Amino acid sequence: MRSLFPIFLSILLAELGDKTQLATLLFATDPKLSRVGVFVASTSALTVSSLLAVVLGEQITRIVSPALLETLAGIGFIVIGLRMLLAKYL
């Protein structure tokens, strides 16, 4: 269980304030919708999304090594961050 806590914490922090959470918040403001229904729908969507990521991740590691994937993901995040900084200041 201890090895799963960093995964839980990483996903929780990554999801806080992102567009998915904001969309859920907006749906919850609709008086015609059940709050429980919004919760169940949004939880189900995140669960299916996570399932797809796990299944695709497993398949990709059969073709590409996990070390290479980590390197490519790191480079990708750096590139995205640089593009965001350049777009803001240029």
Side-chain angles (χ1 to χ4, degrees):
M1 209 53 177
R2 282 186 176 177
S3 62
L4 298 179
F5 183 72
I7 297 169
F8 171 82
L9 190 58
S10 296
I11 299 300
L12 177 66
L13 293 175
E15 291 297 321
L16 287 177
D18 78 342
K19 61 184 182 261
T20 304
Q21 188 179 35
L22 295 175
T24 303
L25 181 139
L26 290 174
F27 283 120
T29 64
D30 187 341
K32 294 178 249 165
L33 296 174
S34 157
R35 302 304 171 261
V36 173
V38 171
F39 174 76
V40 170
S42 64
T43 302
S44 299
L46 185 56
T47 301
V48 171
S49 172
S50 297
L51 175 64
L52 288 172
V54 169
V55 170
L56 290 173
E58 179 188 17
Q59 297 302 314
I60 290 171
T61 58
R62 294 178 184 198
I63 301 167
V64 182
S65 75
L68 179 60
L69 285 174
E70 287 177 11
T71 301
L72 292 173
I75 291 169
F77 280 118
I78 290 169
V79 168
I80 290 168
L82 288 173
R83 287 190 69 201
M84 290 176 70
L85 284 172
L86 291 172
K88 182 173 182 156
Y89 294 109
L90 292 181

